[in-house]
Amino acid sequence: MNRGDLHSAFTKINLWRLVQFSKIVYLDADVVAYRAPDELFSIPHAFAAAPDIGWPDLFNTGVMVLTPDLGEYYAMMAMAERGISFDGADQGLLNMHFKNNYHRLSFTYNVTPSAHYQYIPAYRHFQSSINMVHFIGANKPWFAGRHAPHSNSPFDEMVGRWWAVHDRHYRAKVLTGTAHLPAFTGTGLTNTATGYCTFAAHGSPQCPAS
Ligand SMILES: [Mn+2]
């Protein structure tokens, strides 16, 4: 297509080529799982995805459950080579290919927050059932940083959860290799799990002696 900017836009099609797997649960790198969604592997349908908030008749391609299939792969590759996609990327192509022939996942598997979130009563009602959050758009938690202003808005709460997951898996390891620990001046993400450092507002990290 001579569109260098789209060189990676259709890479998700390759998922359907991985026929050594009977089922694939695909997550974008900007998706954070609040819990392991193991049950998705048991979905019998060939393809499943959650609604897109930009146009809820369409599905969002940040979380997908699929059965690899070379027939689907070659059909979608033929579309990609001809540039068939209403948005120039994978989501348009996949929606044009599958149309309504997919199993609709609950929005709780692909909650897409934004700073302009409108339906706060729904968020409060369903927030305890959220399985995964997908930070679509350019406003990624890791760009804003942990010192970005915090509020109790749904978006900032979800950013806080992203940092909590990040810290649970990576923060302690980063600190282990640091000679001089920087003072933590944020609002205080606290993780008291054994073996991890504890962070309090305006203090240095308190790490277990080991
Ligand atoms: Mn994404």
Side-chain angles (χ1 to χ4, degrees):
M1 292 189 290
N2 295 321
R3 285 281 307 274
D5 55 318
L6 295 182
H7 72 284
S8 59
F10 296 118
T11 52
K12 293 178 186 178
I13 296 172
N14 287 304
L15 292 166
W16 276 266
R17 191 169 61 167
L18 306 177
V19 292
Q20 68 269 43
F21 302 108
S22 58
K23 187 68 78 178
I24 291 175
V25 175
Y26 168 84
L27 311 179
D28 267 10
D30 52 2
V31 170
V32 64
Y34 285 12
R35 45 172 288 277
D38 294 342
E39 66 280 7
L40 294 179
F41 286 102
S42 303
I43 288 179
H45 308 79
F47 181 59
D52 187 90
I53 56 162
W55 196 265
D57 288 341
L58 301 176
F59 56 83
N60 182 276
T61 53
V63 174
M64 300 187 287
V65 184
L66 62 110
T67 303
D69 181 309
L70 287 175
E72 305 276 34
Y73 168 72
Y74 288 120
M76 287 189 277
M77 281 301 289
M79 293 173 70
E81 285 164 4
R82 292 158 58 200
I84 298 175
S85 169
F86 66 77
D87 64 1
D90 67 278
Q91 184 157 304
L93 187 150
L94 285 163
N95 272 278
M96 291 174 78
H97 176 70
F98 284 101
K99 300 186 174 69
N100 288 321
N101 301 314
Y102 72 98
H103 175 68
R104 181 170 166 154
L105 293 179
S106 163
F107 187 60
T108 58
Y109 287 103
N110 193 349
V111 175
T112 46
S114 80
H116 310 289
Y117 188 75
Q118 302 276 338
Y119 201 0
I120 290 175
Y123 173 79
R124 294 292 170 217
H125 186 70
F126 290 109
Q127 68 182 120
S128 65
S129 61
I130 291 175
N131 297 296
M132 295 191 281
V133 170
H134 179 191
F135 291 93
I136 57 173
N139 198 7
K140 310 295 189 195
W142 55 91
F143 290 142
R146 66 174 65 247
H147 300 300
H150 299 294
S151 73
N152 61 354
S153 74
F155 183 76
D156 284 351
E157 282 185 8
M158 287 183 259
V159 169
R161 289 292 298 264
W162 187 93
W163 278 108
V165 172
H166 169 275
D167 288 350
R168 184 149 46 90
H169 294 284
Y170 296 109
R171 179 74 168 176
K173 291 169 189 158
V174 171
L175 289 170
T176 300
T178 305
H180 300 286
L181 299 179
F184 181 72
T185 55
T187 315
L189 277 172
T190 303
N191 187 340
T192 54
T194 306
Y196 295 101
C197 303
T198 300
F199 301 90
H202 308 297
S204 296
Q206 304 297 308
C207 298
S210 61

